[in-house]
Each structure stands twice: as C-alpha cells, then as structure tokens.
Amino acid sequence: MYLSLGNKKDAVSFKDALFKGLAPDKSLYYPVKVKKLNTHFWKNFKKTDTFSLAYHVLKDYTNNEIPKEDLFDIIKKTLNFSFPAVLVDKNMYSLELFHGPTMAFKDVGAKFMSGCMEYFIKNENLNEKITIIVATSGDTGGAVANGFLGVDGVDVVILYPKGKVSEIQELQLTTLGDNISALEVDGYFDKCQEMVKKTFVDNDLNKKMLTSANSINVARWIPQMLYYFIGYKNLNIENSSLVVSVPSGNFGNLCAGMLAKKMGLPIKHFIASTNENDTVPKFMKTGKYKKQKTVSTITNAMDVGDPSNFIRILNIYDNNFENLKKELTAYKFSDKETLSGIQDLYNNSRYLSDPHGATAYLGLKKYLANNPKEIGIFLETAHPVKFLDTVENSIKEKINIPKNILKLKKKKKRKIGIKDYEQLKSFLLSR
Ligand SMILES: *Cc1c(COP(=O)(O)O)cnc(C)c1O
C-alpha cells in the first residue's frame, strides 16, 4: 500500500509504514495509489458531518487494516475541536487550525498517528516496547508528547534545537514527564532531523523498535489533508475553487493539501510562504533543488533548510517542474515583513495572528494582488500566544494568556542536553 520514493519498491502495509516511519532505503513512504473521491462523496459533501467526511477521505490510506468502528473512533478523538474560517479582508480568510490541545495544527497529525499505533498495539499484541523518536522545530514536540502521553507500550523521545523554540513550546514538550523525554540539542532543527534519520539506519539500534513521528511518517502527514477538506466545507463557496497559502517549513502540510487536490478537492492554486529559509522559493525560480543551511527566524517552526516532504511534492507532480509551476507559487518573507504582517492584520482587521499565520497571510495577499478575482484562505497554524513576545512586540499591546498556558508556566522543565549523535545513541541504548 505504501512504497518508498527512493526505489519505488519495498511496498509495505499501512501498519508497517506507520511503525517504520522511514523506508529501509532512508527515503519516504508514499501511497501506491491515490484514488479520486467519487461523485457520491461530492454530492453529499455539504451535508456530511466532519467525522464521516474524514472517514471517507482517510479510509483508503489505512488499507482496511483498521476496522471501520475503530477508525471512526480514532477520527473522533483526533478532530475534537473546531476549525473556523474567519474573514479578515476582501476574499481572504484565515483558517484557524490551532484550537487543539497544544494550540498548533500539528495536533491533528499527532493524535491520529497515536490513535492508529494504540490500535495496533492493543489489538495485535505487539509485546515489544516502541520508541518514537521525533525532531521538532517547535510545535511537533508538544503535539506528539500530548498525543502519546500515557499510551501503553510507547516511549517518546523528542529532540529540539536549544534556544530555538519559544518559551511556551519548550514548556509543552519538557513538562509532561511519564513516557516522554525531551533532549535539548546543540544545533538547528536540521541537525535534529538528521540525527533522527541516522538512528533508523544504525545497526546497533535496530534491535529496538524505533519509529518517527515527524511528517515523514505517513500517519502524521496524510490526516493533514483534512484541514483542506474542512476548510473548503466551512467556507461554503459553491462551485468555486480556492487558493490556499500555507506557511511552510518541512512542507508536510502543503504537500497534504496537494494530495487532497489529487483526490479531487477543488483547490486552484497553492502558495508556499516561507521565511528566509527559502530553499523552495529558490527551487521554483531555478528548477534546481539545493538544500541550505538553516537560519533562525521569528517563525521558528519553519526554520528548515532541507524540507523532507519536498520529494513527495515532486512525486505528486510526476517530477514535472512545469506542471508544478502551474499550481504552486512560493514566496519568502523576512522577519521584518512578517512583523508588519501581524501589525497589518491587527490594525486593519482587528485580527490577531501568530507569526507563521502572518507569513501565510502575506503570501496570499501578494498572490491576490495579481489575481484579484480569486478567493483565498491562509492557514493560521498556531495560536498567537505561543509566540507571545514576538506578537506583543509587534502590536505593542499585551495579549490575554489562556488559563492552560498559565498553568503550564508553573511546571518544572525536564530535559537532557545532547551535543552529537553518539550522545543520542548512548541515551537510546541505555533505555
Ligand atoms: C510545523 C509548523 C509549520 C510548518 O509546517 P510544515 O508542514 O513543516 O511545512 C508552520 N507553522 C507552524 C505554527 C508549525 O508548527
């Protein structure tokens, strides 16, 4: 059902792709087949409830390996919050994806993945302990920690770049304890991601059941399609197609949108909005992919110089650059521009955005300036409070802090410092 994009072979079941994370050749898994949704689905689209809609979108990707009732149950637990589309300007909506438990869009992928794993662990008597190892640029850590907290048979190890995540992000991933360990890495996100990938091909570690919970894992990547389906449904724009701007770092989210389109969702154009880590905007200009050294920005969840999921995007477009160009525009924005984006939204629309959402807003605005007839949404991927200092400095006002965040601030952080791969390896071997 899933094959490696490296050799287009090694087809595995959903369960195997879920537990392996990365294919044996270190490449990413991709579904063997992407089926278009049938006319029956579209005829009933508007009146279908969100859970049923999600079930129809996702069922083929779990390959009948999870029975209907169980899959439905996982979906209900995953989508237990709202995804409002808020009008912020003419033809411009913010699709808020941050109303989940850790206030960033990654909650959906993390919860779906933990639900699927929990199902297999419970029902197929997997006796071995599973270690989930995950690199985070900020929000993945909290979402994965929350999704897997207390799940029997699973240990979670989170690698995050020292000093490069926000205070609230760090609290979310270091204060849970229980089956969650947080490793603070001297270096950027790309270094964390590189180390995680290395553990999977390390023979000394292959006796351990190691897997990843980054968007390289199909169970985290694929459910992100739901934002686009739900967004389209919530907008209620009959017979019209959409333009979507996605704040992008590792490009899992954008790539899920493209998969949704491949299934038939009427999205006309995608905008990838990045920060100074502009590997993809450069690619779209030159057609040449050149990974870059990561630079730190105020949109830290997008500080990725070598986005893992880009290979999936190329595959969706059959590695045809011209076809990709027709449907994707990529812009980069500096921190200064992003800060003024937050101000713009606040002063002109009384809309408070986080820096990532503001970047996406800028991308959409730029695109609509040349395509004024289109209707667009930008994905607001995190709650502004997660980037408190940046947002307050930008709008020059204090913002209200939700109760759950105030509680978090009283908790004690637990973390272990890691300098290099050897230290990570001995940590894993010692468990
Ligand atoms: C992870 C993240 C992104 C980037 O998403 P990708 O799927 O990695 O491109 C954007 N915004 C926020 C708030 C995030 O946490």
Side-chain angles (χ1 to χ4, degrees):
M1 278 309 290
Y2 289 89
L3 44 76
S4 157
L5 282 180
N7 57 17
K8 307 265 166 138
K9 282 194 289 227
D10 293 344
V12 297
S13 63
F14 169 67
K15 182 182 147 197
D16 279 353
L18 165 68
F19 281 97
K20 283 199 175 100
L22 210 58
D25 65 346
K26 257 182 118 179
S27 192
L28 272 65
Y29 281 118
Y30 187 86
V32 168
K33 212 169 170 179
V34 178
K35 268 200 244 163
K36 282 221 182 278
L37 289 152
N38 59 25
T39 44
H40 183 75
F41 174 87
W42 292 113
K43 225 172 98 195
N44 296 301
F45 183 69
K46 285 277 142 79
K47 51 180 196 279
T48 309
D49 68 274
T50 310
F51 299 140
S52 310
L53 190 146
Y55 172 76
H56 284 290
V57 171
L58 297 179
K59 69 178 178 0
D60 282 344
Y61 297 95
T62 54
N63 189 23
N64 293 322
E65 293 165 47
I66 300 178
K68 180 171 181 180
E69 299 75 58
D70 296 284
L71 184 56
F72 223 92
D73 207 44
I74 294 168
I75 287 170
K76 274 192 182 156
K77 286 184 187 145
T78 301
L79 302 178
N80 66 350
F81 50 91
S82 61
F83 302 86
V86 181
L87 182 71
V88 298
D89 205 344
K90 189 171 170 280
N91 290 345
M92 282 177 91
Y93 293 81
S94 165
L95 183 63
E96 296 185 346
L97 307 179
F98 59 72
H99 295 278
T102 71
M103 302 174 150
F105 80 100
K106 294 189 173 78
D107 279 323
V108 166
K111 193 79 192 168
F112 184 78
M113 179 180 166
S114 77
C116 293
M117 277 203 166
E118 202 170 10
Y119 169 81
F120 288 116
I121 291 169
K122 272 202 185 124
N123 294 282
E124 302 198 354
N125 300 320
L126 300 175
N127 292 323
E128 242 178 303
K129 189 144 191 109
I130 290 152
T131 302
I132 291 181
I133 175 161
V134 63
T136 182
S137 57
D139 290 321
T140 296
V144 169
N146 189 277
F148 284 91
L149 180 68
V151 174
D152 267 345
V154 177
D155 244 353
V156 177
V157 178
I158 301 166
L159 280 72
Y160 71 100
K162 183 176 177 175
K164 308 229 163 29
V165 302
S166 83
E167 175 65 14
I168 289 166
Q169 288 173 328
E170 188 178 32
L171 283 164
Q172 283 180 333
L173 59 93
T174 54
T175 56
L176 289 173
D178 197 354
N179 58 333
I180 317 289
S181 314
L183 307 185
E184 186 184 45
V185 175
D186 230 348
Y188 287 102
F189 168 72
D190 288 282
K191 179 169 170 189
C192 301
Q193 180 156 265
E194 207 39 57
M195 289 209 274
V196 167
K197 284 185 181 168
K198 215 164 158 183
T199 60
F200 297 122
V201 289
D202 188 327
N203 288 333
D204 299 336
L205 291 171
N206 70 6
K207 286 205 182 60
K208 290 193 167 274
M209 275 281 273
L210 277 183
T211 189
S212 143
N214 280 100
S215 53
I216 53 177
N217 195 304
V218 293
R220 247 207 67 198
W221 168 53
I222 286 180
Q224 302 186 101
M225 278 198 286
L226 299 176
Y227 310 136
Y228 300 81
F229 282 95
I230 294 170
Y232 184 71
K233 189 173 174 232
N234 287 354
L235 273 192
N236 231 345
I237 44 167
E238 211 75 45
N239 305 323
S240 185
S241 51
L242 260 187
V243 170
V244 187
S245 175
V246 187
S248 295
N250 217 8
F251 281 75
N253 193 0
L254 178 75
C255 178
M258 289 169 163
L259 196 65
K261 176 172 171 138
K262 208 171 159 82
M263 290 180 80
L265 190 68
I267 295 176
K268 193 165 177 186
H269 201 78
F270 292 97
I271 299 146
S273 300
T274 76
N275 57 30
E276 296 284 355
N277 296 284
D278 60 347
T279 307
V280 173
K282 278 202 182 120
F283 172 85
M284 294 310 293
K285 278 201 190 101
T286 62
K288 290 203 177 65
Y289 184 90
K290 216 170 132 215
K291 68 177 178 189
Q292 294 175 191
K293 235 179 116 139
T294 317
V295 290
S296 283
T297 71
I298 56 168
T299 43
N300 66 290
M302 313 195 302
D303 290 350
V304 183
D306 184 14
S308 283
N309 284 287
F310 199 63
I311 179 173
R312 286 186 173 137
I313 291 185
L314 292 178
N315 194 70
I316 290 175
Y317 287 90
D318 304 319
N319 289 297
N320 184 321
F321 183 55
E322 293 308 315
N323 286 352
L324 177 63
K325 246 164 91 172
K326 279 184 211 134
E327 294 184 2
L328 174 67
T329 300
Y331 300 123
K332 80 152 175 187
F333 297 98
S334 67
D335 280 358
K336 210 169 141 213
E337 288 171 302
T338 295
L339 287 171
S340 69
I342 298 175
Q343 277 169 1
D344 257 17
L345 276 170
Y346 192 65
N347 295 338
N348 303 333
S349 313
R350 287 282 121 189
Y351 187 75
L352 195 60
S353 77
D354 100 293
H356 303 78
T359 309
Y361 157 77
L362 291 173
L364 182 59
K365 199 167 134 179
K366 195 161 172 176
Y367 184 81
L368 290 185
N370 296 320
N371 301 273
K373 288 211 179 77
E374 307 289 357
I375 297 172
I377 53 178
F378 65 89
L379 302 189
E380 172 50 309
T381 44
H383 192 295
V385 79
K386 287 194 95 167
F387 305 92
L388 195 63
D389 295 346
T390 305
V391 173
E392 285 184 343
N393 283 339
S394 168
I395 62 167
K396 310 271 184 289
E397 275 177 42
K398 288 273 168 212
I399 62 178
N400 278 335
I401 302 179
K403 268 207 201 83
N404 53 345
I405 297 288
L406 290 174
K407 256 199 240 155
L408 200 60
K409 287 193 166 202
K410 296 208 184 89
K411 291 193 176 167
K412 194 175 152 34
K413 291 187 217 167
R414 280 167 228 266
K415 56 191 179 185
I416 298 163
I418 292 277
K419 287 210 165 47
D420 53 30
Y421 181 71
E422 287 311 311
Q423 286 187 351
L424 170 64
K425 189 167 162 175
S426 43
F427 174 80
L428 293 170
L429 287 171
S430 71
R431 297 165 70 75

